[in-house]
Amino acid sequence: MDDQPLQPDYDSFESHLWPALAHRIPAFEQAKLERAWAGYFEMNTFDHNAILGPAPSFENLLFMNGFSGHGIQQAPVIGRAMAELILLGRFDTLDLSDLLFTRITENRPLREAIVIG
């Protein structure tokens, strides 16, 4: 990972992303890029989704990671779900059992068609 550049790809932005934005939202044609940043983010390479629940080999170790860039969107429901799992031993409000760690050990990736990667 250390050999990956941490500089914004301005050329890619100008040639690919900018035209798509301006086509979809005409006001972007008038906007001006002033600065940008690049960085790494946590990524679950197995299926690009959250990994939740107990670790199969360690008592009292719970996973709540692997969101691959969309964790901030899911944080409120994940917090509630994990609280339910801890307090009730199950998901109650929303069944997130498809995101449990066991899908990795059973080689059952949960694929999303709209996630790139």
Side-chain angles (χ1 to χ4, degrees):
M1 182 69 75
D2 292 331
D3 62 341
Q4 298 296 315
L6 280 177
Q7 297 299 318
D9 185 352
Y10 293 102
D11 291 335
S12 182
F13 177 82
E14 293 287 336
S15 61
H16 300 301
L17 185 58
W18 186 270
L21 287 170
H23 174 75
R24 180 131 188 175
I25 306 167
F28 271 101
E29 195 66 52
Q30 304 303 316
K32 179 179 135 188
L33 179 64
E34 292 187 8
R35 61 185 164 266
W37 62 272
Y40 302 120
F41 67 94
E42 169 209 12
M43 185 170 169
N44 162 12
T45 58
F46 180 69
D47 62 8
H48 304 276
N49 279 299
I51 302 168
L52 304 179
S57 302
F58 298 96
E59 187 177 342
N60 295 324
L61 174 62
L62 299 172
F63 286 92
M64 189 170 63
N65 61 311
F67 294 92
S68 300
H70 47 273
I72 192 77
Q73 299 166 340
Q74 299 173 357
V77 73
I78 296 299
R80 181 174 186 124
M82 291 302 290
E84 291 172 356
L85 190 62
I86 292 165
L87 294 172
L88 306 173
R90 68 183 190 289
F91 298 120
D92 192 52
T93 304
L94 185 62
D95 183 6
L96 299 180
S97 57
D98 285 343
L99 295 173
L100 287 171
F101 188 93
T102 53
R103 80 178 189 281
I104 296 171
T105 59
E106 295 170 0
N107 196 28
R108 291 183 294 110
L110 179 62
R111 301 275 185 215
E112 288 186 58
I114 61 172
V115 173
I116 300 170

